[in-house]
Each structure stands twice: as structure tokens, then as C-alpha cells.
Amino acid sequence: GKMIHKLDGHLNPIRAIAFSSDDGVLATGDSGGAIRLWRVSDGQLLKNIEGHTDAVLALTFDGNGRLVTVSRDGTIRLWGVK
């Protein structure tokens, strides 16, 4: 395969990824609690989301413009990302 994009922006190892329902956005979460949203078509960083105080363990889009994240800090968070 051929690399399409290299997505740089996390300071800690990435622990979770999810594509939006339309595959237009990729969400990534790292071991420090940071979340990044990327435009898939060109690899552009769209948004930095901060809030968790420990590793993001899982994330998913709900299909209604929201991102759900689970962290080792013991919280589940719902983010409006549209």
C-alpha cells in the first residue's frame, strides 16, 4: 500500500480511533487524554479536544454529530463535534 496522509499532532501514544458515520472525520484519542479530529480527505487537523485527565480508551461517533469517549479517568464524555 501507499501512504495517503501522515497525521501528526499527538504528544502521547494513540490508544483509540474511530471514523465518523460518513467517513469524513477520524477521531483519535491518546494515553494523556487528548482527542484530535482529522479530516480524512486531506489529513487536516480540525479540532483539539481536551477534558479527560487520563488515557482515552475508546471513542465512537453516535451518528448525530456527537463523539462519545471513555477514559481511564473513570468518565464517559459526550462531545458536540459538528
Side-chain angles (χ1 to χ4, degrees):
K2 177 182 155 190
M3 182 174 68
I4 298 170
H5 303 294
K6 180 180 178 187
L7 308 177
D8 288 323
H10 281 279
L11 301 177
N12 297 296
I14 295 169
R15 298 289 185 212
I17 64 169
F19 281 99
S20 63
S21 60
D22 65 0
D23 290 336
V25 176
L26 173 68
T28 56
D30 73 24
S31 63
I35 300 160
R36 306 285 184 260
L37 300 180
W38 312 87
R39 186 170 44 230
V40 173
S41 62
D42 62 5
Q44 174 80 27
L45 177 63
L46 299 173
K47 188 181 286 189
N48 294 316
I49 300 173
E50 305 289 337
H52 285 296
T53 58
D54 206 339
V56 175
L57 302 175
L59 34 77
T60 189
F61 287 92
D62 74 349
N64 292 311
R66 295 176 295 202
L67 179 69
V68 181
T69 60
V70 177
S71 172
R72 189 177 292 140
D73 65 14
T75 64
I76 299 169
R77 297 183 186 222
L78 184 63
W79 310 88
V81 295
K82 275 194 173 181

